[in-house]
Amino acid sequence: MAVPTEVRARVEALRAEIRRHDYLYHVLDRPEITDAEYDRMFRELVDLEARYPELVTPDSPTQRAGAPPAAEFRPVPHALPMLSLQNCFRDEELAEWHDRVRRLLGEEQVEYVCEPKLDGLSVELVYEDGVFVVGSTRGDGRVGEDVTANLRTIRQLPLRLFPVNGSVPRLLEVRGEVYMEKAAFLRLNEERARRGEPEFANPRNAAAGSLRQLDPAITARRPLKLFCYHVGRVEGIEIRSQAQLLTTFPSLGLPVNPRWKLGRDLPEVRAYYRELLAARDEVPYATDGMVVKVNDFSQRERLGEIARAPRWAIAYKFPAEEALTRVREIVVQVGRTGALTPVAHLDPVEVSGVTVSRATLHNEDEVRRKDVRVGDWVIVRRAGEVIPEIVRALPERRTGEEREFQMPELCPACGGPVVRPAGEATHRCENLSCPARIKEAILHYASRRAADIQGLGEKLVDRLVETGLVARISDLYRLRREDLLAVERMGEKSAQNLLGEIERSKGMSLARLIFALGIRHVGERVAEFLAERFPSLEALSHATVEELTALRGVGPQIAQSIVSFFRNEENQRLIAELAAVGVDPRAGEPQAGPLSGKVFVFTGTLGGLTRDEAQRLVASRGGRVASTVSRQVDYVVAGENPGSKLDRARELGIPVLTEAEFRRLIGY
Ligand code: IVH
């Protein structure tokens, strides 16, 4: 089918508009339209591309994510090597560098550009005729790794450059830094802790770990950002200085850090450094110093490089963020997810402008490895400028009064048993009703994909727990109208609605209930799988590690976690209580779910599912499977070599789904 000219034109116009708004939003932080208007445009483009797939081009804004996972990163040679920077730490060293630059340039006038040194990972982005074609990491400077598909998911990175004076450069090799903002890093770590995943040590590791993912879909979910600050090969555009580069890049759509300044002499460069140091905690990204670069590119050429670093630039690093202090006590904190973290309480000490009185020791192994004792003198550091940590203890200063740290056997918050799963470094309290965990446990229980109790948000949960109305999840089902009305700002209508929602949640499916408990490593998929294999929560609670690992799809880690969860007496009590208040779904019973009331018929062979599995999948979502096609049937799912049922479905006009469509419908 030929594509109508007006469609072609509309697609181009939409892309240009979306690119412009992406730039305004992600690069300039100055949106001109609402999110809803943007979404509308984006959806129109998606629809048109779906209808006319021949119009899809790799640089379309719809094509950022969606590349399949890679088996490995292909090596990419850099046409020009990616150099590193020489470092200095003191004003005198900076002055020496400046003197050398002046001497080598025959005492001619020299101007500098000063920029923050970003703490991320450097990348090269190759644009051919304005289109982003390859992106790579620095690697060893000569050969990097192909991370194109991952880089494409960074919304600040233009897939196509804007024309400047009517044209785009033939070739532009852009260099810059992929980084994660400090706030985003903290949020990511919080999320990871909640899911029981290891946390990143600092924003740089988080950025590197996120970019070096074989599956671009994972990178797409990480809040990565980009600043561009340098070039490799350039054809079809002339850039003669750093100042020109930093003003040209934004007009091409490339993000640059606006916090750069010209330094016309050494005092100006030093002033910039002090300014940057003072602003260090306020800027949203991690920075570990200033980079000073000779502005003029022809001067740079004359200066050349030594030992894989240019003579024309230097990194003036911030002072080491370390200080000496004493450990007063090591206190174990129970996090919202039940993780026990030893935290050193310190004699307050200033570390690069911030008073530090606590430092995390992460876990028991870390305390042993660093051999930190109560009373020890220690060196503390603000790692990635965010979380203070103890670098090491100074055993030579010990008096003999110091005390070794012991991980408690009972949870400091609820007094219940503490477990350390095999192969993991973290001790945990598994009691879902532990006061340290209860708020998070309720929020997860009530979340949309679990019990889906709408109106039970963070503030309300805080109030319910703090007033003592709810101490365990089962207490939710005992709430009365009067209780809720006594809660601040809760009106009659909201109270009624909430009670209705809580009541409705009793009908949730077994899969949702299993997921709602927030057992570590048991996500939605695993919960569905378990619900298909166990008739009730009670039955699951008696399963052994052997029984569980015998199931395809359940590894030893998941099995251990499930068994350990149900072994906890408080959790057993909770489950009995939930059943007593009416939360006790049984597999096989018609359940409330997204497919409630829907009838399916299967015909032909399914590629990735047995008929049994398909049946259970439908049932666990509230639907039913019939064996013959009638007017009561909502969908016919046709696999390979379908039989007469397919013809019958067509006769009756019943929607026919492929296996892929069926999976999409049920979200499996
Ligand atoms: S310019 C050869 N500018 O620092 C000069 N680099 O230690 C090319 N870096 O590999 C780099 N912020 O990853 C430049 N504003 C900035 C930078 C910067 C961070 C990184 C870059 C480089 C490393 C060298």
Side-chain angles (χ1 to χ4, degrees):
M1 180 177 33
V3 181
T5 329
E6 62 277 13
V7 170
R8 216 175 264 283
R10 179 70 188 148
V11 164
E12 270 319 310
L14 280 169
R15 286 181 187 159
E17 268 300 276
I18 291 172
R19 276 186 200 116
R20 195 168 74 81
H21 290 297
D22 276 344
Y23 173 71
L24 286 165
Y25 184 94
H26 295 288
V27 179
L28 300 187
D29 215 0
R30 226 172 38 217
E32 284 178 4
I33 56 173
T34 64
D35 289 1
E37 285 169 306
Y38 178 90
D39 290 345
R40 215 170 306 128
M41 263 195 294
F42 201 90
R43 229 172 309 125
E44 187 185 345
L45 179 60
V46 170
D47 289 346
L48 285 174
E49 289 183 349
R51 245 189 301 150
Y52 303 98
E54 59 270 55
L55 289 186
V56 178
T57 56
D59 64 335
S60 170
T62 60
Q63 303 299 302
R64 285 196 178 267
E72 57 175 8
F73 298 114
R74 197 175 54 91
V76 183
H78 302 295
L80 298 177
M82 289 179 77
L83 302 177
S84 53
L85 292 171
Q86 35 179 337
N87 284 332
C88 70
F89 292 89
R90 290 178 300 123
D91 275 357
E92 301 84 80
E93 293 173 288
L94 182 71
E96 280 166 27
W97 172 76
H98 167 64
D99 286 344
R100 191 166 58 240
V101 166
R102 297 252 325 258
R103 210 171 42 248
L104 289 166
L105 292 175
E107 306 296 325
E108 71 187 54
Q109 200 54 38
V110 56
E111 240 182 16
Y112 297 111
V113 165
C114 309
E115 301 168 12
K117 184 171 189 314
L118 300 160
D119 210 7
L121 79 158
S122 50
V123 292
E124 176 166 74
L125 318 168
V126 180
Y127 286 88
E128 285 176 9
D129 296 318
V131 178
F132 175 53
V133 287
V134 180
S136 52
T137 59
R138 177 170 180 273
D140 63 3
R142 297 189 174 279
V143 181
E145 289 175 321
D146 185 342
V147 284
T148 313
N150 295 347
L151 286 166
R152 291 173 65 92
T153 68
I154 301 177
R155 301 296 296 266
Q156 288 187 312
L157 182 153
L159 298 178
R160 174 183 274 279
L161 300 177
F162 294 131
V164 171
N165 299 328
S167 70
V168 288
R170 228 301 297 145
L171 174 71
L172 186 64
E173 292 177 346
V174 177
R175 294 184 177 172
E177 199 89 352
V178 168
Y179 67 97
M180 193 179 287
E181 289 191 343
K182 291 183 277 192
F185 156 75
L186 291 174
R187 270 198 304 275
L188 175 65
N189 262 356
E190 245 170 56
E191 220 175 89
R192 288 175 72 83
R194 200 166 302 159
R195 286 199 299 258
E197 293 165 0
E199 294 174 46
F200 290 110
N202 53 48
R204 189 167 53 81
N205 288 5
S210 301
L211 191 64
R212 295 190 71 266
Q213 283 288 336
L214 289 168
D215 184 356
I218 298 179
T219 310
R221 289 197 295 269
R222 302 279 173 80
L224 293 177
K225 295 193 111 181
L226 171 74
F227 275 137
C228 303
Y229 48 61
H230 193 49
V231 283
R233 291 182 303 172
V234 180
E235 289 172 24
I237 184 175
E238 205 170 16
I239 304 178
R240 297 174 199 224
S241 69
Q242 186 68 6
Q244 195 198 345
L245 179 147
L246 293 171
T247 45
T248 308
F249 272 10
S251 37
L252 291 163
L254 294 162
V256 306
N257 189 342
R259 202 176 253 283
W260 64 272
K261 256 194 189 158
L262 269 183
R264 273 159 302 191
D265 51 26
L266 205 52
E268 279 192 10
V269 171
R270 287 196 183 128
Y272 178 87
Y273 176 83
R274 284 192 298 273
E275 228 174 82
L276 193 62
L277 186 56
R280 186 176 189 193
D281 287 314
E282 284 122 57
V283 295
Y285 43 81
T287 153
D288 56 349
M290 150 182 87
V291 184
V292 195
K293 305 170 178 179
V294 170
N295 186 28
D296 185 284
F297 283 8
S298 63
Q299 287 183 330
R300 285 188 184 181
E301 220 162 293
R302 282 155 56 205
L303 289 164
E305 61 195 61
I306 33 157
R308 321 220 30 75
R311 283 202 191 83
W312 48 260
I314 192 162
Y316 188 175
K317 301 287 269 293
F318 289 145
E321 299 178 275
E322 292 183 351
L324 194 62
T325 186
R326 275 185 77 187
V327 177
R328 283 187 185 164
E329 192 54 83
I330 298 178
V331 173
V332 173
Q333 277 180 1
V334 190
R336 289 165 67 86
T337 57
L340 270 60
T341 310
V343 175
H345 289 203
L346 310 163
D347 285 340
V349 62
E350 193 156 309
V351 189
S352 55
V354 170
T355 306
V356 170
S357 54
R358 280 168 199 215
T360 176
L361 282 161
H362 301 289
N363 54 52
E364 185 184 33
D365 291 354
E366 191 78 355
V367 183
R368 293 280 161 267
R369 197 173 57 76
K370 290 181 175 162
D371 187 19
V372 177
R373 303 181 189 177
V374 178
D376 264 349
W377 282 93
V378 291
I379 293 171
V380 286
R381 171 168 64 196
R382 285 167 66 210
E385 308 175 89
V386 196
I387 311 159
E389 68 174 5
I390 290 184
V391 183
R392 63 189 176 90
L394 303 178
E396 60 277 19
R397 290 207 179 192
R398 281 188 187 142
T399 60
E401 301 277 292
E402 295 74 14
R403 194 158 34 82
E404 276 193 52
F405 167 75
Q406 281 298 328
M407 201 70 183
E409 281 170 22
L410 298 178
C411 168
C414 73
V418 165
V419 296
R420 178 176 174 178
E424 292 186 27
T426 308
H427 284 74
R428 293 179 183 278
C429 167
E430 302 227 296
N431 173 11
L432 260 199
S433 314
C434 171
R437 298 189 58 181
I438 187 64
K439 287 181 184 174
E440 190 69 24
I442 295 173
L443 282 173
H444 176 72
Y445 183 85
S447 65
R448 196 168 51 79
R449 304 209 295 254
D452 192 19
I453 303 176
Q454 298 206 4
L456 193 54
E458 205 160 331
K459 287 226 179 70
L460 182 55
V461 169
D462 285 354
R463 293 295 299 153
L464 291 175
V465 171
E466 278 152 22
T467 52
L469 279 170
V470 176
R472 329 165 49 77
I473 291 173
S474 46
D475 292 341
L476 289 174
Y477 296 92
R478 300 200 184 93
L479 284 173
R480 293 164 310 166
R481 195 177 136 271
E482 310 80 275
D483 297 334
L484 291 177
L485 289 178
V487 171
E488 239 175 287
R489 275 198 291 280
M490 168 79 78
E492 178 68 41
K493 186 92 197 313
S494 345
Q496 277 308 339
N497 286 349
L498 181 61
L499 288 176
E501 285 286 314
I502 293 175
E503 186 59 29
R504 194 176 56 83
S505 74
K506 290 182 182 171
M508 79 180 115
S509 66
L510 180 56
R512 277 176 177 262
L513 177 59
I514 296 173
F515 174 62
L517 296 176
I519 306 170
R520 270 165 50 75
H521 307 303
V522 177
E524 273 176 289
R525 281 288 179 77
V526 175
E528 273 166 21
F529 181 84
L530 293 168
E532 284 153 21
R533 274 149 190 87
F534 291 88
S536 64
L537 193 58
E538 162 85 19
L540 176 63
S541 76
H542 297 306
T544 62
V545 170
E546 294 70 38
E547 278 161 13
L548 286 163
T549 36
L551 302 172
R552 191 167 53 89
V554 177
Q557 202 182 29
I558 298 178
Q560 266 303 343
S561 170
I562 294 170
V563 169
S564 164
F565 177 88
F566 288 110
R567 193 178 289 150
N568 184 290
E569 282 177 22
E570 284 299 317
N571 292 345
Q572 286 172 15
R573 192 153 79 86
L574 174 68
I575 284 151
E577 282 178 11
L578 281 172
V581 296
V583 184
D584 188 18
R586 302 272 151 179
E589 275 177 19
Q591 294 165 348
L595 301 183
S596 279
K598 298 281 181 236
V599 182
F600 287 75
V601 164
F602 291 91
T603 176
T605 348
L606 300 177
L609 290 173
T610 65
R611 198 56 83 73
D612 244 21
E613 279 169 332
Q615 174 143 11
R616 272 197 295 259
L617 287 170
V618 170
S620 67
R621 287 164 180 75
R624 193 162 67 76
V625 175
S627 51
T628 55
V629 179
S630 68
R631 290 193 192 281
Q632 275 70 54
V633 170
D634 295 281
Y635 298 102
V636 170
V637 183
E640 293 277 306
N641 305 317
S644 60
K645 288 182 203 169
L646 179 59
D647 305 327
R648 180 85 182 121
R650 294 229 164 98
E651 264 171 51
L652 294 177
I654 295 169
V656 176
L657 304 179
T658 61
E659 181 177 343
E661 286 165 338
F662 168 66
R663 281 173 179 269
R664 219 170 303 135
L665 178 73
I666 65 169
Y668 188 73

